[in-house]
């Protein structure tokens, strides 16, 4: 695996089929699934590691984000990544930027309503990665459903010559969706946190049994959030990320909670025929809890 610091060097390595897996680092099995799909579908696999200050509202959150370069590089190498793109802040933002990418509508509810500026930061850095590296495909997890809707829509809006590939959420054995934040959960908060995925799965079961009313579907999740404070539980159109009152088109049911001082998000994808995508569960404890963390 080559470690590359500049966009120009990245582009000089491009092949006929180049795949990109963008990350903020602190790699877990969710990222490894993206890399493995990227490996299967491309000649050249590039993974970026850049903790993007533009998408963190609170500078303290940015400072606290775990940075484990050697650990991440080792995991990427083991995942058969060809190129680790790790730009400096100066490479990414050589001059104070006066240009930003703003995606309307899609970013206004849910995460957008609770994290002002977050999606503008993500949209801007993703556009820069796509423009600077010029991959043929880019891989994103369904765990960040609203982000995925946004990035997917940026492609036609900005005529970006790239295919966005969506990959399933990866979960711990008990259902908790993998996130770098999970390591900050106390034992008690960790026990409570499983209620988030349990609520979403219960709602997906309700949909499988025929329910299509948005309020009833959302209530099923809220009922399972004991010990957590819910920021939102929202049934949203998958194409526009706008809240909907009836499951009458492809949707996701998303929730954000705060538990023991840690903010968690999760979702399930729901179809009008009653089927759902709940992601996949690990058999073992996640590498997030390994020695290296
Ligand atoms: O999903 C993430 O990890 C980040 O938002 C991304 C896409 C790497 C942009 O910084």
């Amino acid at each position: 695996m080559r470690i590359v610091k500049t966009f120009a060097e990245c582009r000089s390595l491009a092949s006929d089929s180049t795949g990109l897996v963008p990350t903020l680092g602190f790699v877990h099995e969710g990222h490894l699934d993206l890399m493995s799909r990227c490996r299967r579908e491309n000649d050249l696999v590039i993974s970026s590691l850049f903790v993007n200050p533009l998408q963190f509202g609170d500078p303290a959150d940015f400072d606290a984000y775990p940075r484990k370069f050697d650990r991440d590089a080792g995991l990427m190498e083991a995942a058969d990544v060809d190129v680790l793109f790790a730009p400096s802040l100066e490479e990414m933002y050589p001059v104070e930027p006066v240009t930003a990418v703003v995606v309307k509508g899609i970013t206004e509810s849910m995460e957008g309503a609770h994290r002002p500026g977050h999606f503008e930061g993500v949209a801007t850095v993703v556009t820069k990665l796509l423009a600077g590296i010029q991959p043929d495909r880019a891989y994103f997890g369904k765990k960040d459903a609203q982000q995925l809707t946004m990035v997917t829509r940026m492609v036609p809006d900005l005529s970006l010559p790239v295919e966005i590939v969506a990959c399933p959420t990866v979960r711990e054995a008990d259902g908790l969706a993998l996130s770098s934040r999970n390591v900050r959960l106390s034992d008690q908060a960790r026990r409570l946190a499983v209620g988030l995925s349990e609520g979403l799965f219960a709602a997906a079961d309700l949909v499988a049994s025929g329910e299509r009313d948005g309020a009833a579907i959302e209530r099923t999740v809220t009922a399972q959030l004991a010990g957590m404070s819910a920021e939102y539980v929202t049934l949203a159109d998958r194409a526009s990320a706008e809240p909907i009152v009836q499951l009458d088109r492809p949707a996701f049911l998303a929730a954000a909670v705060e538990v023991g001082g840690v903010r968690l998000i999760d979702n399930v994808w729901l179809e009008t025929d009653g089927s759902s995508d709940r992601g996949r569960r690990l058999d073992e404890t996640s590498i997030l809890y390994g020695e290296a963390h």
Side-chain angles (χ1 to χ4, degrees):
M1 184 178 76
R2 290 177 65 158
I3 298 176
V4 161
K5 301 271 181 202
T6 66
F7 280 117
E9 216 179 330
C10 246
R11 279 195 303 276
S12 74
L13 296 168
S15 86
D16 283 350
S17 107
T18 298
L20 171 68
V21 180
T23 82
L24 293 166
F26 206 35
V27 167
H28 54 61
E29 288 87 343
H31 301 109
L32 297 180
D33 270 16
L34 303 180
M35 290 169 201
S36 123
R37 171 117 187 240
C38 186
R39 177 76 281 165
R40 290 200 299 278
E41 297 179 352
N42 299 279
D43 295 337
L44 186 82
V45 175
I46 302 179
S47 187
S48 61
L49 195 174
F50 180 68
V51 186
N52 172 36
L54 293 190
Q55 71 187 78
F56 289 81
D58 178 2
D61 215 20
F62 172 71
D63 292 341
Y65 195 85
R67 291 160 172 85
K68 304 278 177 194
F69 186 83
D70 292 345
R71 169 194 180 275
D72 288 339
L75 288 166
M76 287 182 187
E77 176 140 45
D80 213 6
V81 168
D82 299 306
V83 178
L84 162 52
F85 176 52
S88 63
L89 199 59
E90 292 69 36
E91 173 69 9
M92 196 57 105
Y93 300 110
V95 286
E96 183 67 27
V98 292
T99 306
V101 178
V102 176
V103 181
K104 289 185 272 188
I106 288 173
T107 60
E108 279 157 25
S109 63
M110 299 177 284
E111 289 303 286
H114 288 86
R115 303 181 68 189
H118 169 70
F119 281 127
E120 186 175 315
V122 175
T124 302
V125 82
V126 168
T127 304
K128 287 168 72 71
L129 288 167
L130 296 176
I133 298 173
Q134 299 173 6
D136 301 290
R137 295 179 195 84
Y139 295 76
F140 292 85
K142 292 180 177 178
K143 157 103 186 325
D144 293 299
Q146 197 176 1
Q147 167 176 285
L148 179 58
T149 297
M150 178 186 80
V151 171
T152 304
R153 181 53 190 268
M154 282 161 50
V155 168
D157 282 5
L158 298 175
S159 305
L160 299 169
V162 66
E163 179 194 342
I164 302 299
V165 183
C167 301
T169 298
V170 181
R171 303 179 176 282
E172 305 222 33
D174 67 358
L176 180 70
L178 294 188
S179 160
S180 64
R181 293 167 189 244
N182 293 358
V183 298
R184 289 167 34 204
L185 293 166
S186 66
D187 290 349
Q188 195 205 3
R190 174 66 185 82
R191 274 192 297 277
L192 292 169
V194 76
L196 174 57
S197 53
E198 282 172 353
L200 290 164
F201 298 161
D205 288 344
L206 189 69
V207 167
S209 71
E211 185 62 76
R212 296 291 180 272
D213 176 62
I217 294 168
E218 290 168 0
R219 266 198 310 275
T220 306
V221 183
T222 312
Q224 298 275 338
L225 300 181
M228 293 177 263
S229 83
E231 273 185 14
Y232 62 82
V233 176
T234 303
L235 181 67
D237 179 326
R238 221 152 62 214
S240 68
E242 275 165 19
I244 52 176
V245 294
Q246 241 348 79
L247 177 57
D248 55 6
R249 63 201 101 163
F252 59 78
L253 175 64
V257 298
E258 205 243 60
V259 54
V262 181
R263 185 173 188 277
L264 300 175
I265 63 168
D266 196 359
N267 69 81
V268 287
W269 283 30
L270 300 172
E271 310 297 339
T272 50
D273 67 3
S275 63
S276 59
D277 178 350
R278 308 176 189 201
R280 82 166 176 98
R281 293 190 195 211
L282 298 174
D283 297 326
E284 296 168 352
T285 311
S286 165
I287 54 172
L288 279 170
Y289 303 99
E291 271 171 60
H293 113 251

PDB file of all heavy atoms in Angstrom, residues 21-25 31 48 50-52 55-56 65 118 121-123 125-126 129 139-141 144 147 151, ligand 1:
ATOM      1  N   VAL A  21     -12.839   5.071  -1.154  1.00  0.00           N
ATOM      2  CA  VAL A  21     -13.575   4.936   0.110  1.00  0.00           C
ATOM      3  C   VAL A  21     -13.139   6.098   1.005  1.00  0.00           C
ATOM      4  O   VAL A  21     -12.056   6.064   1.589  1.00  0.00           O
ATOM      5  CB  VAL A  21     -13.260   3.587   0.808  1.00  0.00           C
ATOM      6  CG1 VAL A  21     -14.037   3.484   2.121  1.00  0.00           C
ATOM      7  CG2 VAL A  21     -13.594   2.413  -0.100  1.00  0.00           C
ATOM      8  N   PRO A  22     -13.966   7.137   1.105  1.00  0.00           N
ATOM      9  CA  PRO A  22     -13.582   8.276   1.964  1.00  0.00           C
ATOM     10  C   PRO A  22     -13.826   7.936   3.431  1.00  0.00           C
ATOM     11  O   PRO A  22     -14.860   7.360   3.770  1.00  0.00           O
ATOM     12  CB  PRO A  22     -14.531   9.404   1.527  1.00  0.00           C
ATOM     13  CG  PRO A  22     -15.405   8.856   0.456  1.00  0.00           C
ATOM     14  CD  PRO A  22     -15.255   7.371   0.439  1.00  0.00           C
ATOM     15  N   THR A  23     -12.878   8.291   4.304  1.00  0.00           N
ATOM     16  CA  THR A  23     -13.077   8.056   5.739  1.00  0.00           C
ATOM     17  C   THR A  23     -12.535   9.231   6.553  1.00  0.00           C
ATOM     18  O   THR A  23     -11.726  10.020   6.070  1.00  0.00           O
ATOM     19  CB  THR A  23     -12.362   6.779   6.269  1.00  0.00           C
ATOM     20  OG1 THR A  23     -10.985   7.081   6.533  1.00  0.00           O
ATOM     21  CG2 THR A  23     -12.447   5.616   5.307  1.00  0.00           C
ATOM     22  N   LEU A  24     -13.020   9.246   7.792  1.00  0.00           N
ATOM     23  CA  LEU A  24     -12.470  10.170   8.790  1.00  0.00           C
ATOM     24  C   LEU A  24     -11.471   9.427   9.666  1.00  0.00           C
ATOM     25  O   LEU A  24     -11.026   9.940  10.689  1.00  0.00           O
ATOM     26  CB  LEU A  24     -13.587  10.693   9.701  1.00  0.00           C
ATOM     27  CG  LEU A  24     -14.651  11.608   9.103  1.00  0.00           C
ATOM     28  CD1 LEU A  24     -15.831  11.741  10.063  1.00  0.00           C
ATOM     29  CD2 LEU A  24     -14.066  12.986   8.832  1.00  0.00           C
ATOM     30  N   GLY A  25     -11.157   8.192   9.301  1.00  0.00           N
ATOM     31  CA  GLY A  25     -10.264   7.367  10.108  1.00  0.00           C
ATOM     32  C   GLY A  25     -10.995   6.662  11.227  1.00  0.00           C
ATOM     33  O   GLY A  25     -12.225   6.611  11.255  1.00  0.00           O
ATOM     34  N   HIS A  31     -16.234   0.349   7.591  1.00  0.00           N
ATOM     35  CA  HIS A  31     -15.306   0.827   6.557  1.00  0.00           C
ATOM     36  C   HIS A  31     -14.691  -0.360   5.796  1.00  0.00           C
ATOM     37  O   HIS A  31     -14.521  -0.295   4.581  1.00  0.00           O
ATOM     38  CB  HIS A  31     -14.147   1.615   7.194  1.00  0.00           C
ATOM     39  CG  HIS A  31     -14.571   2.808   7.981  1.00  0.00           C
ATOM     40  ND1 HIS A  31     -14.506   2.862   9.351  1.00  0.00           N
ATOM     41  CD2 HIS A  31     -15.058   4.010   7.587  1.00  0.00           C
ATOM     42  CE1 HIS A  31     -14.921   4.035   9.774  1.00  0.00           C
ATOM     43  NE2 HIS A  31     -15.283   4.758   8.728  1.00  0.00           N
ATOM     44  N   SER A  48      -9.332   7.414   1.539  1.00  0.00           N
ATOM     45  CA  SER A  48      -8.827   8.681   2.075  1.00  0.00           C
ATOM     46  C   SER A  48      -9.028   8.711   3.573  1.00  0.00           C
ATOM     47  O   SER A  48      -9.983   8.128   4.099  1.00  0.00           O
ATOM     48  CB  SER A  48      -9.525   9.874   1.409  1.00  0.00           C
ATOM     49  OG  SER A  48     -10.909   9.825   1.674  1.00  0.00           O
ATOM     50  N   PHE A  50      -9.026  11.719   6.285  1.00  0.00           N
ATOM     51  CA  PHE A  50      -8.902  13.159   6.540  1.00  0.00           C
ATOM     52  C   PHE A  50      -9.982  13.562   7.529  1.00  0.00           C
ATOM     53  O   PHE A  50     -11.174  13.377   7.262  1.00  0.00           O
ATOM     54  CB  PHE A  50      -9.056  13.955   5.236  1.00  0.00           C
ATOM     55  CG  PHE A  50      -8.942  15.443   5.433  1.00  0.00           C
ATOM     56  CD1 PHE A  50      -7.730  16.022   5.803  1.00  0.00           C
ATOM     57  CD2 PHE A  50     -10.051  16.262   5.268  1.00  0.00           C
ATOM     58  CE1 PHE A  50      -7.621  17.399   6.008  1.00  0.00           C
ATOM     59  CE2 PHE A  50      -9.951  17.648   5.463  1.00  0.00           C
ATOM     60  CZ  PHE A  50      -8.731  18.211   5.835  1.00  0.00           C
ATOM     61  N   VAL A  51      -9.568  14.059   8.674  1.00  0.00           N
ATOM     62  CA  VAL A  51     -10.532  14.537   9.674  1.00  0.00           C
ATOM     63  C   VAL A  51     -10.859  15.978   9.273  1.00  0.00           C
ATOM     64  O   VAL A  51     -10.063  16.892   9.457  1.00  0.00           O
ATOM     65  CB  VAL A  51      -9.967  14.437  11.108  1.00  0.00           C
ATOM     66  CG1 VAL A  51     -11.057  14.799  12.120  1.00  0.00           C
ATOM     67  CG2 VAL A  51      -9.450  13.030  11.394  1.00  0.00           C
ATOM     68  N   ASN A  52     -12.041  16.107   8.695  1.00  0.00           N
ATOM     69  CA  ASN A  52     -12.423  17.339   8.003  1.00  0.00           C
ATOM     70  C   ASN A  52     -12.992  18.379   8.976  1.00  0.00           C
ATOM     71  O   ASN A  52     -14.124  18.233   9.438  1.00  0.00           O
ATOM     72  CB  ASN A  52     -13.478  16.971   6.948  1.00  0.00           C
ATOM     73  CG  ASN A  52     -14.111  18.170   6.291  1.00  0.00           C
ATOM     74  OD1 ASN A  52     -13.439  19.165   6.063  1.00  0.00           O
ATOM     75  ND2 ASN A  52     -15.395  18.058   5.992  1.00  0.00           N
ATOM     76  N   GLN A  55     -16.769  19.893   8.865  1.00  0.00           N
ATOM     77  CA  GLN A  55     -18.026  19.205   9.176  1.00  0.00           C
ATOM     78  C   GLN A  55     -18.276  19.019  10.663  1.00  0.00           C
ATOM     79  O   GLN A  55     -19.279  18.429  11.054  1.00  0.00           O
ATOM     80  CB  GLN A  55     -18.108  17.868   8.433  1.00  0.00           C
ATOM     81  CG  GLN A  55     -17.172  16.777   8.917  1.00  0.00           C
ATOM     82  CD  GLN A  55     -17.207  15.561   8.012  1.00  0.00           C
ATOM     83  OE1 GLN A  55     -16.602  15.553   6.932  1.00  0.00           O
ATOM     84  NE2 GLN A  55     -17.924  14.518   8.413  1.00  0.00           N
ATOM     85  N   PHE A  56     -17.340  19.517  11.485  1.00  0.00           N
ATOM     86  CA  PHE A  56     -17.534  19.455  12.937  1.00  0.00           C
ATOM     87  C   PHE A  56     -17.981  20.826  13.408  1.00  0.00           C
ATOM     88  O   PHE A  56     -17.239  21.806  13.263  1.00  0.00           O
ATOM     89  CB  PHE A  56     -16.220  19.095  13.643  1.00  0.00           C
ATOM     90  CG  PHE A  56     -15.772  17.676  13.431  1.00  0.00           C
ATOM     91  CD1 PHE A  56     -15.108  17.311  12.271  1.00  0.00           C
ATOM     92  CD2 PHE A  56     -16.038  16.697  14.381  1.00  0.00           C
ATOM     93  CE1 PHE A  56     -14.696  15.998  12.060  1.00  0.00           C
ATOM     94  CE2 PHE A  56     -15.637  15.386  14.187  1.00  0.00           C
ATOM     95  CZ  PHE A  56     -14.958  15.039  13.026  1.00  0.00           C
ATOM     96  N   TYR A  65     -11.834  13.951  18.170  1.00  0.00           N
ATOM     97  CA  TYR A  65     -12.016  12.836  17.235  1.00  0.00           C
ATOM     98  C   TYR A  65     -10.767  11.944  17.273  1.00  0.00           C
ATOM     99  O   TYR A  65      -9.648  12.430  17.156  1.00  0.00           O
ATOM    100  CB  TYR A  65     -12.277  13.333  15.802  1.00  0.00           C
ATOM    101  CG  TYR A  65     -12.815  12.213  14.956  1.00  0.00           C
ATOM    102  CD1 TYR A  65     -14.172  11.912  14.948  1.00  0.00           C
ATOM    103  CD2 TYR A  65     -11.956  11.392  14.233  1.00  0.00           C
ATOM    104  CE1 TYR A  65     -14.660  10.839  14.220  1.00  0.00           C
ATOM    105  CE2 TYR A  65     -12.436  10.317  13.510  1.00  0.00           C
ATOM    106  CZ  TYR A  65     -13.786  10.053  13.510  1.00  0.00           C
ATOM    107  OH  TYR A  65     -14.267   8.969  12.802  1.00  0.00           O
ATOM    108  N   HIS A 118     -23.002  21.112   9.317  1.00  0.00           N
ATOM    109  CA  HIS A 118     -22.380  19.790   9.137  1.00  0.00           C
ATOM    110  C   HIS A 118     -22.403  19.338   7.669  1.00  0.00           C
ATOM    111  O   HIS A 118     -21.370  18.977   7.095  1.00  0.00           O
ATOM    112  CB  HIS A 118     -23.090  18.771  10.034  1.00  0.00           C
ATOM    113  CG  HIS A 118     -22.720  17.351   9.750  1.00  0.00           C
ATOM    114  ND1 HIS A 118     -21.472  16.842  10.040  1.00  0.00           N
ATOM    115  CD2 HIS A 118     -23.417  16.323   9.174  1.00  0.00           C
ATOM    116  CE1 HIS A 118     -21.417  15.570   9.664  1.00  0.00           C
ATOM    117  NE2 HIS A 118     -22.580  15.235   9.141  1.00  0.00           N
ATOM    118  N   GLY A 121     -20.195  21.146   5.262  1.00  0.00           N
ATOM    119  CA  GLY A 121     -18.800  20.688   5.398  1.00  0.00           C
ATOM    120  C   GLY A 121     -18.567  19.365   4.711  1.00  0.00           C
ATOM    121  O   GLY A 121     -17.545  19.159   4.049  1.00  0.00           O
ATOM    122  N   VAL A 122     -19.544  18.434   4.846  1.00  0.00           N
ATOM    123  CA  VAL A 122     -19.397  17.122   4.201  1.00  0.00           C
ATOM    124  C   VAL A 122     -19.477  17.279   2.677  1.00  0.00           C
ATOM    125  O   VAL A 122     -18.643  16.745   1.942  1.00  0.00           O
ATOM    126  CB  VAL A 122     -20.480  16.122   4.694  1.00  0.00           C
ATOM    127  CG1 VAL A 122     -20.388  14.815   3.923  1.00  0.00           C
ATOM    128  CG2 VAL A 122     -20.347  15.863   6.190  1.00  0.00           C
ATOM    129  N   ALA A 123     -20.494  18.019   2.213  1.00  0.00           N
ATOM    130  CA  ALA A 123     -20.683  18.175   0.758  1.00  0.00           C
ATOM    131  C   ALA A 123     -19.438  18.820   0.133  1.00  0.00           C
ATOM    132  O   ALA A 123     -18.997  18.427  -0.956  1.00  0.00           O
ATOM    133  CB  ALA A 123     -21.924  19.017   0.476  1.00  0.00           C
ATOM    134  N   VAL A 125     -16.244  18.798   1.294  1.00  0.00           N
ATOM    135  CA  VAL A 125     -15.052  17.943   1.277  1.00  0.00           C
ATOM    136  C   VAL A 125     -15.235  16.769   0.321  1.00  0.00           C
ATOM    137  O   VAL A 125     -14.287  16.355  -0.366  1.00  0.00           O
ATOM    138  CB  VAL A 125     -14.651  17.493   2.706  1.00  0.00           C
ATOM    139  CG1 VAL A 125     -15.458  16.300   3.173  1.00  0.00           C
ATOM    140  CG2 VAL A 125     -13.160  17.187   2.778  1.00  0.00           C
ATOM    141  N   VAL A 126     -16.454  16.229   0.238  1.00  0.00           N
ATOM    142  CA  VAL A 126     -16.681  15.113  -0.691  1.00  0.00           C
ATOM    143  C   VAL A 126     -16.493  15.603  -2.138  1.00  0.00           C
ATOM    144  O   VAL A 126     -15.874  14.923  -2.962  1.00  0.00           O
ATOM    145  CB  VAL A 126     -18.079  14.474  -0.475  1.00  0.00           C
ATOM    146  CG1 VAL A 126     -18.447  13.530  -1.609  1.00  0.00           C
ATOM    147  CG2 VAL A 126     -18.121  13.723   0.862  1.00  0.00           C
ATOM    148  N   LEU A 129     -12.820  15.800  -2.742  1.00  0.00           N
ATOM    149  CA  LEU A 129     -12.204  14.472  -2.908  1.00  0.00           C
ATOM    150  C   LEU A 129     -12.528  13.906  -4.298  1.00  0.00           C
ATOM    151  O   LEU A 129     -11.659  13.345  -4.969  1.00  0.00           O
ATOM    152  CB  LEU A 129     -12.699  13.510  -1.820  1.00  0.00           C
ATOM    153  CG  LEU A 129     -12.163  13.778  -0.405  1.00  0.00           C
ATOM    154  CD1 LEU A 129     -12.947  12.980   0.637  1.00  0.00           C
ATOM    155  CD2 LEU A 129     -10.669  13.432  -0.315  1.00  0.00           C
ATOM    156  N   TYR A 139     -17.651   4.913  -2.410  1.00  0.00           N
ATOM    157  CA  TYR A 139     -18.415   4.004  -1.546  1.00  0.00           C
ATOM    158  C   TYR A 139     -18.801   4.686  -0.237  1.00  0.00           C
ATOM    159  O   TYR A 139     -17.938   5.237   0.452  1.00  0.00           O
ATOM    160  CB  TYR A 139     -17.571   2.736  -1.285  1.00  0.00           C
ATOM    161  CG  TYR A 139     -17.354   1.966  -2.570  1.00  0.00           C
ATOM    162  CD1 TYR A 139     -16.438   2.417  -3.518  1.00  0.00           C
ATOM    163  CD2 TYR A 139     -18.118   0.853  -2.869  1.00  0.00           C
ATOM    164  CE1 TYR A 139     -16.282   1.758  -4.729  1.00  0.00           C
ATOM    165  CE2 TYR A 139     -17.966   0.179  -4.079  1.00  0.00           C
ATOM    166  CZ  TYR A 139     -17.042   0.640  -5.002  1.00  0.00           C
ATOM    167  OH  TYR A 139     -16.906   0.003  -6.209  1.00  0.00           O
ATOM    168  N   PHE A 140     -20.091   4.611   0.092  1.00  0.00           N
ATOM    169  CA  PHE A 140     -20.615   5.255   1.306  1.00  0.00           C
ATOM    170  C   PHE A 140     -21.527   4.267   2.033  1.00  0.00           C
ATOM    171  O   PHE A 140     -22.217   3.456   1.399  1.00  0.00           O
ATOM    172  CB  PHE A 140     -21.421   6.513   0.953  1.00  0.00           C
ATOM    173  CG  PHE A 140     -20.567   7.625   0.402  1.00  0.00           C
ATOM    174  CD1 PHE A 140     -20.245   7.666  -0.947  1.00  0.00           C
ATOM    175  CD2 PHE A 140     -20.064   8.618   1.238  1.00  0.00           C
ATOM    176  CE1 PHE A 140     -19.434   8.685  -1.463  1.00  0.00           C
ATOM    177  CE2 PHE A 140     -19.256   9.634   0.737  1.00  0.00           C
ATOM    178  CZ  PHE A 140     -18.943   9.666  -0.613  1.00  0.00           C
ATOM    179  N   GLY A 141     -21.563   4.390   3.370  1.00  0.00           N
ATOM    180  CA  GLY A 141     -22.383   3.487   4.171  1.00  0.00           C
ATOM    181  C   GLY A 141     -23.813   3.990   4.314  1.00  0.00           C
ATOM    182  O   GLY A 141     -24.061   5.196   4.399  1.00  0.00           O
ATOM    183  N   ASP A 144     -25.126   6.364   7.446  1.00  0.00           N
ATOM    184  CA  ASP A 144     -25.326   7.812   7.324  1.00  0.00           C
ATOM    185  C   ASP A 144     -26.290   8.047   6.165  1.00  0.00           C
ATOM    186  O   ASP A 144     -25.911   8.519   5.095  1.00  0.00           O
ATOM    187  CB  ASP A 144     -23.986   8.516   7.085  1.00  0.00           C
ATOM    188  CG  ASP A 144     -23.081   8.406   8.302  1.00  0.00           C
ATOM    189  OD1 ASP A 144     -23.469   8.899   9.372  1.00  0.00           O
ATOM    190  OD2 ASP A 144     -22.001   7.807   8.194  1.00  0.00           O
ATOM    191  N   GLN A 147     -26.679  11.568   4.653  1.00  0.00           N
ATOM    192  CA  GLN A 147     -25.449  11.915   3.922  1.00  0.00           C
ATOM    193  C   GLN A 147     -25.423  11.211   2.563  1.00  0.00           C
ATOM    194  O   GLN A 147     -25.063  11.796   1.537  1.00  0.00           O
ATOM    195  CB  GLN A 147     -24.235  11.502   4.763  1.00  0.00           C
ATOM    196  CG  GLN A 147     -22.910  11.527   4.002  1.00  0.00           C
ATOM    197  CD  GLN A 147     -21.727  11.198   4.891  1.00  0.00           C
ATOM    198  OE1 GLN A 147     -21.304  12.025   5.679  1.00  0.00           O
ATOM    199  NE2 GLN A 147     -21.153  10.016   4.759  1.00  0.00           N
ATOM    200  N   VAL A 151     -25.148  12.916  -1.059  1.00  0.00           N
ATOM    201  CA  VAL A 151     -24.037  12.679  -1.992  1.00  0.00           C
ATOM    202  C   VAL A 151     -24.566  12.120  -3.312  1.00  0.00           C
ATOM    203  O   VAL A 151     -24.109  12.504  -4.396  1.00  0.00           O
ATOM    204  CB  VAL A 151     -22.996  11.721  -1.344  1.00  0.00           C
ATOM    205  CG1 VAL A 151     -21.960  11.291  -2.349  1.00  0.00           C
ATOM    206  CG2 VAL A 151     -22.333  12.393  -0.140  1.00  0.00           C
TER     207      VAL A 151
HETATM  208  O1  LIG B   1     -18.953   9.641   6.512  1.00  0.00           O
HETATM  209  C1  LIG B   1     -17.831  10.095   6.779  1.00  0.00           C
HETATM  210  O2  LIG B   1     -16.969   9.390   7.348  1.00  0.00           O
HETATM  211  C2  LIG B   1     -17.480  11.526   6.389  1.00  0.00           C
HETATM  212  O3  LIG B   1     -18.597  12.353   6.453  1.00  0.00           O
HETATM  213  C3  LIG B   1     -16.808  11.629   4.995  1.00  0.00           C
HETATM  214  C4  LIG B   1     -17.718  11.121   3.900  1.00  0.00           C
HETATM  215  C5  LIG B   1     -15.509  10.818   4.995  1.00  0.00           C
HETATM  216  C6  LIG B   1     -16.470  13.085   4.683  1.00  0.00           C
HETATM  217  O4  LIG B   1     -15.545  13.612   5.582  1.00  0.00           O
END
